[in-house]
Amino acid sequence: MEALTSWQILDLLLISALLALAWTAMAAKDLRRAVALFIAFGLLLALTWVRLRAPDIALAEAAIGAGLTGALLLAAASDEPDPVPSGRISAAGVVLTVVSAGLAVVLGWVFVATVQQADSTRLAEEVFANVETTGVSNPVTSVLLNFRAYDTLLELAVLLIAVLGVLALGPARAGYGAPGPVLSLLARRLVPLIILVSGYLLWAGAHAPGGAFQAGALLAAAGVLLRLTGTTNGGLPGDGAFRTLIVAGVAVFLAVGLSLMLAGRPFLGFPVAWAGSLILAIETAATLSIAAILLAAFLAGDPKHAAANRGSKTWQRTHKTQGHANEL
Amino acid sequence: MSYDQILYGLTGVALFSMGLRGAFFPGALLRRVLAINIAGAGVFLLLIAIAYRGLQSVPDPVPHALVLTGIVVAFSATALALALGRFLRERSDDE
């Protein structure tokens, strides 16, 4: 009973902190404060994933949910003027609150009623029974790259389309000024280490928590660090190489799927003996693509134009906030 | 079914509804994008709570894979929304 109680205390602490941070992040007066609270929310959420036995998601959340989204929102907070809220709560606001609270009650009731049903068949049993045939032993990776490879291919296509949208909207946000010596030194020491860890996560994904998403996100984080320390394009290559990188994931995925069809197998139906190597090939290309796409999304445009934008209004605004970022 | 599954699932529902309210509330675009991200986190939490089988057993990997892709898609959608917002703002600044 003793052990159970300490778990319950952890649960209550985590849940109340999550709810409080989410609420204060949305209610905060200052935009930058809202984003800082959101980053804290993301980190606690990563802890929650560990508590719920989802280490793969914890890695992705810490890198993307808290890290990259936080950096993106913080950069955006500096160039968005915040209209002062009127303080008066309108009738529409009251209706909105009541409707969303009502929706929460209905959803909560459906959830409790559903999990109480005794269910006979679950996909999980099928996954565990067939994981031997997928070429990897991490069940999450087996679902992502084998059982539901189609989903993951389309998801990479969604990423590609989103970043094409971002690229079409204009030049990248301008870079930041020269950093202090401590940050430069830190970046020089950290970036090679991050690249190494990213390679490890890619390799480990086959049998342990990790995989293309976590590895790609970490690689993109190295690019964000480079950008914050004066490398305007975050280490992304120019033009042709950049374009090749962002389509590499979808291209290799499709090439593998189509060659399997030529060999007389279903689309993305990996033969057992080859599955491991094919998945590693796809994941390697996906890692590079995901890193380039996430980083280009953070730069908010084509890396080529980032340097040309310096004189603009946006740059001065961004530059001013860099001071705040350094203080943090 | 266990107490912790219910507890975390209901937290997910609460986060979703809070985020939904924030997303429709008038205010800066950034606030609404942030609120959508919180609503998304609520959906992820609900899915992972459904996959959870207690501390001693292995959870269902299928919702885990869905949430993993969801996190990456949420980031790219956030980036696109903010880029659209910046584009519109610079447009209206010029006029």
Side-chain angles (χ1 to χ4, degrees), chain A residues 91-118:
Chain A
V94 175
V95 172
L96 190 59
T97 309
V98 172
V99 167
S100 38
L103 193 66
V105 172
V106 174
L107 275 177
W109 175 71
V110 170
F111 165 70
V112 173
T114 313
V115 291
Q116 279 174 340
Q117 302 272 323

Side-chain angles (χ1 to χ4, degrees), chain B:
Chain B
M1 188 210 65
S2 54
Y3 90 91
D4 39 4
Q5 187 177 29
I6 299 284
L7 207 58
Y8 281 101
L10 290 180
T11 309
V13 170
L15 287 175
F16 172 72
S17 121
M18 272 160 62
L20 198 67
R21 175 181 174 275
F24 284 101
F25 232 70
L29 172 79
L30 187 82
R31 280 177 195 284
R32 306 172 83 165
V33 170
L34 197 144
I36 291 175
N37 269 291
I38 285 175
V43 176
F44 298 154
L45 190 52
L46 185 63
L47 273 169
I48 296 306
I50 291 172
Y52 184 69
R53 297 275 180 283
L55 279 168
Q56 309 307 331
S57 32
V58 186
D60 187 343
V62 179
H64 284 200
L66 295 183
V67 170
L68 211 50
T69 53
I71 289 176
V72 184
V73 168
F75 174 81
S76 61
T78 303
L80 184 57
L82 292 174
L84 273 170
R86 191 166 71 112
F87 177 74
L88 288 175
R89 207 166 39 246
E90 280 173 6
R91 264 282 166 93
S92 53
D93 281 356
D94 290 344
E95 277 159 15

Side-chain angles (χ1 to χ4, degrees), chain A residues 48-146:
Chain A
T48 311
W49 300 140
V50 177
R51 162 69 182 85
L52 293 175
R53 301 205 50 180
D56 289 270
I57 304 173
L59 284 171
E61 182 74 47
I64 305 176
L68 287 175
T69 310
L72 181 73
L73 290 172
L74 212 51
S78 61
D79 51 37
E80 175 156 14
D82 193 13
V84 184
S86 62
R88 200 172 58 91
I89 297 170
S90 64
V94 175
V95 172
L96 190 59
T97 309
V98 172
V99 167
S100 38
L103 193 66
V105 172
V106 174
L107 275 177
W109 175 71
V110 170
F111 165 70
V112 173
T114 313
V115 291
Q116 279 174 340
Q117 302 272 323
D119 42 0
S120 48
T121 51
R122 281 195 189 267
L123 284 173
E125 273 79 62
E126 295 290 316
V127 172
F128 294 131
N130 294 302
V131 76
E132 300 290 312
T133 65
T134 60
V136 291
S137 58
N138 175 359
V140 178
T141 308
S142 79
V143 174
L144 270 179
L145 271 305
N146 199 321

Side-chain angles (χ1 to χ4, degrees), chain A residues 233-246 292 295 299 302-304:
Chain A
N233 60 8
L236 276 177
D239 266 347
F242 170 67
R243 259 145 237 205
T244 315
L245 265 184
I246 61 173
L295 191 52
L299 303 185
D302 198 326
K304 186 178 58 174

Side-chain angles (χ1 to χ4, degrees), chain A residues 17-27 37-38 41, chain B residues 15 18 34 38:
Chain A
L18 277 178
L19 291 172
L21 278 172
W23 183 259
T24 45
M26 284 190 288
L37 287 165
F38 178 76
F41 171 80
Chain B
L15 287 175
M18 272 160 62
L34 197 144
I38 285 175

